[in-house]
């Protein structure tokens, strides 16, 4: 009787250790992509910002959280916040159709406008919007 109980205990411990090893191996090699994709966007949205010159657009997307950050940068003399908002709205609309998101995004943070001088000494304006798409 003692041998049967000892054998059962050893079998349970062996099976438990096998499952523990596979779970630690899965934790050591995650298959979830946690990287952020950064994309420069070609300025095909000139209709939305007719007065702004030298516009740089980029989009940062984190698939794990569904967070999207869009940056709109141009010279400060030609910056118009309404044009920047319209351009970012068009970019987000195209992004949601490309990735087949059906719901509208929710705002993560308040939009941010920042003025600075670049390396050449030119005054630049940067407008940033952070949104999150529901992944359900």
């Amino acid at each position: 009787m003692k041998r049967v109980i000892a054998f059962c205990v050893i079998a349970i411990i062996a099976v438990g250790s096998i499952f523990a090893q596979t779970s630690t191996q899965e934790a050591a090699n995650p298959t979830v992509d946690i990287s952020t994709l950064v994309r420069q966007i070609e300025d095909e949205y000139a209709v939305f910002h007719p007065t702004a010159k030298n516009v740089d657009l980029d989009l940062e997307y984190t698939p794990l959280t569904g967070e999207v950050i869009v940056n709109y940068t141009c010279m400060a003399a030609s910056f118009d916040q309404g044009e920047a908002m319209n351009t970012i709205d068009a970019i987000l609309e195209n992004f949601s159709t490309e990735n087949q998101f059906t719901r509208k995004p929710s705002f993560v943070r308040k939009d941010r406008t920042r003025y600075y001088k670049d390396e050449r000494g030119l005054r630049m304006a940067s407008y940033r919007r952070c949104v999150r798409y529901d992944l359900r």
Side-chain angles (χ1 to χ4, degrees):
M1 182 73 171
K2 290 181 183 179
R3 288 183 182 178
V4 172
I5 292 174
F7 179 73
C8 289
V9 170
I10 291 173
I12 290 172
I13 291 173
V15 169
S17 67
I18 290 172
F19 284 119
Q21 287 176 358
T22 58
S23 65
T24 57
Q25 288 173 353
E26 289 173 3
N29 300 324
T31 58
V32 178
D33 184 20
I34 57 171
S35 62
T36 300
L37 308 170
V38 179
R39 242 183 9 181
Q40 289 291 96
I41 299 174
E42 293 182 23
D43 193 15
E44 57 194 39
Y45 302 96
V47 175
F48 296 104
H49 57 84
T51 60
K53 303 295 181 213
N54 300 333
V55 175
D56 291 328
L57 302 167
D58 65 343
L59 183 135
E60 302 172 16
Y61 174 53
T62 308
L64 181 64
T65 60
E67 188 170 303
V68 177
I69 300 172
V70 181
N71 294 311
Y72 173 98
T73 306
C74 70
M75 295 186 67
S78 64
F79 177 72
D80 181 19
Q81 187 168 349
E83 291 179 358
M85 292 170 72
N86 291 339
T87 305
I88 289 177
D89 286 340
I91 290 170
L92 289 173
E93 187 174 319
N94 287 347
F95 179 77
S96 64
T97 55
E98 285 174 8
N99 293 304
Q100 300 173 349
F101 292 125
T102 56
R103 295 183 180 181
K104 293 228 179 233
S106 59
F107 289 92
V108 176
R109 288 182 222 107
K110 185 178 172 184
D111 293 353
R112 179 179 175 200
T113 305
R114 183 175 73 104
Y115 294 93
Y116 64 96
K117 286 189 177 182
D118 67 354
E119 63 276 351
R120 296 174 293 174
L122 298 174
R123 290 195 64 228
M124 303 294 283
S126 175
Y127 186 77
R128 169 182 270 194
R129 179 174 291 169
C130 300
V131 297
R132 179 174 294 135
Y133 285 94
D134 240 356
L135 301 176
R136 289 184 247 157

